[in-house]
DNA sequence: CGCGTCATTGATGTGCATCAAGTGGTGTGG
DNA sequence: CCACACCACTTGATGCACATCAATGACGCG
């Protein structure tokens, strides 16, 4: 057991967006040099989160949005009676913490599913700067709207799809986002457990597991633990749009 | 059959927020007179929608947000294969159309469930003015964040609650919002069909109906068609937090 | 008054949850 | 390096909540 000090979890690093390779994912495009420089001012610091650690928790004061630089997160909400629901999985380049804006308190937990690093962007500075840089203003609005639209999709999934459809949609969505980040279109490593997938999809972990097995039997995917290889993307797409008898 | 001209549906009226009694619901508080006057400039016109008519449709160009002045809407998303899902019900004072911001196109349909009137707020003018009036900027952010948080709640409901819990949560939510608008805490008139409730809650209309009947048997509510009287609010609250075996 | 729409209620079916047992991979301590 | 424990995952057997199918009833509107 090493004796690293506790504050390792909160280690901070000074950085800049202007030379960040994820810039096009989390920042607006088409800025001139002067604007870029001002954007740099937003990202005060970075913060490292160990696997299993939380970036923020339900009830904590909201001060900043976070841009994920590396790593993988889940966000989840909970009721008093112990029920909880994964509301999303977030990867590099995505913005996390939007839920905190309404009440100046976070309303969900953000947990790192692997060691991660985020850029801390104090929200008052975002607001300040987006009054001056219209591209940033527009970008902030679009990010929030995108999240709303994404959640509409999840509601559709949870409200009207069968287990196979849900898992197929989930895999296609994941691989598409990974592909946008330069990863394979057909191979992925799941960073979350079957139980977390199930929570997100409104299914029990056994059902997730069985559905994976079904896909394997049908030759649609290959699964070895958390390594998934999509053999037949079109089949997955057909499943998503199959509209079986259910519901 | 009357011969009213087609454009009745699009009838427009010149108006002002500064003397609107819903202002505190859809606009920021604590503005001075000069700021209020500027806000008035945002709401260019009003628009009337007949029951069953659409305010906007999936795929239509996005130009404006809408503040509901009177009436009741549902928003719903659909897949190519004909499946659809009600994503929300909106009432007076609520803002509708946020989904369109990301891609400059609406991604869902907004349908009036009764004759309605909305204030049309061109989004470019909202952005323009919110660069100058920080209270407006903050307000826009909070409205979007509130919608994100609301949808988290719906995901929790759809992903982990049983039929009774869903309907109880739905009724409590509706009556709470109506109460904030000066209506009764215990009586309400549903503006939507059982099928629309079911779509929103991820249930079939028969299940919604049966669950209503169950609540009636247990003396928790009285139901006569779309008129609902909540007899025992606490019982509903207990049901929401009951955490039965399911899921 | 008659028709269409919406709602209720019953009978039956099924998809997924639940319960349970066993496997494999990983990390830890001896 | 191995033994053990733990956790994630898989797979089977069973049950149940809700979907589906079907018939009837209650409004409301032209």
């Amino acid at each position: 057991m090493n004796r690293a000090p506790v504050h390792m979890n909160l280690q901070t690093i000074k950085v800049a967006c202007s030379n960040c390779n994820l810039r096009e994912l989390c920042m607006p495009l088409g800025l001139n040099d002067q604007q870029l420089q001002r954007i740099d001012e937003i990202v005060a610091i970075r913060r490292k989160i160990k696997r299993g650690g939380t970036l923020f928790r339900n009830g904590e004061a909201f001060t900043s949005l976070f841009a994920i630089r590396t790593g993988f997160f889940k966000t989840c909400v909970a009721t008093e009676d112990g029920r909880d629901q994964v509301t999303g999985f977030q990867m590099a380049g995505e913005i996390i913490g939007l839920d905190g804006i309404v009440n100046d308190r976070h309303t969900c937990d953000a947990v790192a599913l692997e060691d991660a690093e985020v850029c801390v962007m104090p929200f008052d500075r975002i607001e300040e700067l987006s009054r001056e840089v219209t591209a940033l203003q527009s970008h902030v609005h679009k990010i929030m709207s995108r999240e709303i639209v994404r959640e509409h999709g999840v509601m559709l999934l949870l409200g009207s799809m069968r287990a196979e459809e849900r898992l197929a949609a989930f895999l296609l969505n994941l691989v598409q986002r990974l592909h946008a980040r330069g990863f394979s279109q057909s191979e992925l490593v799941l960073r979350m457990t079957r139980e977390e997938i199930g929570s997100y999809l409104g299914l029990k972990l056994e059902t997730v597991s069985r559905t994976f097995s079904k896909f394997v039997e049908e030759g649609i995917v290959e699964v070895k633990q958390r390594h998934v290889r999509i053999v037949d993307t079109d089949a997955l797409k057909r499943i998503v749009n199959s509209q079986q008898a259910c519901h």
Side-chain angles (χ1 to χ4, degrees), chain A:
Chain A
M1 167 95 75
N2 73 38
R3 316 245 349 256
V6 173
H7 66 262
M8 278 297 284
N9 281 340
L10 295 168
Q11 183 177 348
T12 58
I13 307 164
K14 185 71 187 159
V15 283
C17 293
S18 46
N19 56 2
C20 173
N21 58 355
L22 289 169
R23 196 180 68 222
E24 56 198 5
L25 286 170
C26 49
M27 281 295 157
L29 298 171
L31 297 177
N32 60 35
D33 285 356
Q34 196 235 335
Q35 289 171 322
L36 258 181
Q37 210 174 330
R38 307 217 46 191
I39 299 268
D40 277 352
E41 294 166 22
I42 287 183
V43 179
I45 52 173
R46 286 201 193 138
R47 189 171 140 193
K48 284 179 188 268
I49 316 284
K50 285 237 169 290
R51 173 159 171 245
T54 60
L55 178 54
F56 54 79
R57 277 179 183 286
N58 179 13
E60 277 182 21
F62 164 79
T63 60
S64 305
L65 298 179
F66 305 96
I68 302 175
R69 234 187 94 69
T70 61
F72 206 95
F73 286 84
K74 69 170 176 181
T75 47
C76 38
V77 293
T79 53
E80 307 89 53
D81 54 319
R83 210 172 346 218
D84 88 0
Q85 170 79 21
V86 173
T87 56
F89 296 107
Q90 296 82 17
M91 58 181 72
E94 296 180 331
I95 306 295
I96 197 171
L98 299 170
D99 61 281
I101 298 172
V102 223
N103 298 314
D104 294 317
R105 307 227 145 251
H106 285 287
T107 57
C108 64
D109 299 344
V111 180
L113 298 180
E114 57 184 4
D115 291 1
E117 192 179 359
V118 301
C119 301
V120 179
M121 308 184 292
F123 191 60
D124 50 6
R125 300 186 60 182
I126 292 178
E127 288 195 322
E128 195 183 319
L129 194 52
S130 73
R131 270 177 247 134
E132 298 170 31
V133 181
T134 65
L136 179 61
Q137 180 193 38
S138 164
H139 192 67
V140 170
H141 291 155
K142 282 179 194 294
I143 283 173
M144 299 188 79
S145 176
R146 179 179 302 130
E147 178 65 8
I148 289 169
V149 171
R150 180 190 75 80
E151 291 183 3
H152 283 176
V154 177
M155 287 168 66
L156 178 66
L157 179 146
L158 291 173
S160 75
M161 288 188 177
R162 300 151 37 71
E164 291 174 43
E165 298 168 331
R166 295 182 196 198
L167 190 63
F170 171 73
L171 289 173
L172 287 172
N173 174 269
L174 260 193
V175 85
Q176 173 252 309
R177 283 154 68 200
L178 288 166
H179 187 53
R181 283 155 182 79
F183 293 96
S184 166
Q185 289 195 61
S186 58
E187 253 168 291
L188 67 158
V189 178
L190 301 172
R191 301 299 175 183
M192 69 294 283
T193 66
R194 302 286 190 264
E195 187 170 16
E196 287 162 337
I197 295 172
S199 172
Y200 182 60
L201 299 179
L203 302 169
K204 293 278 101 177
L205 68 94
E206 295 94 328
T207 304
V208 173
S209 180
R210 272 184 248 272
T211 308
F212 267 124
S213 300
K214 183 137 186 277
F215 287 173
V216 170
E217 274 173 39
E218 292 169 350
I220 297 170
V221 301
E222 290 166 9
V223 178
K224 183 176 278 185
Q225 297 296 120
R226 300 200 180 175
H227 295 258
V228 177
R229 191 177 137 78
I230 298 175
V231 178
D232 189 346
T233 303
D234 289 342
L236 283 182
K237 289 180 183 163
R238 277 196 301 274
I239 288 171
V240 173
N241 293 7
S242 62
Q243 174 75 306
Q244 304 271 0
C246 171
H247 285 239

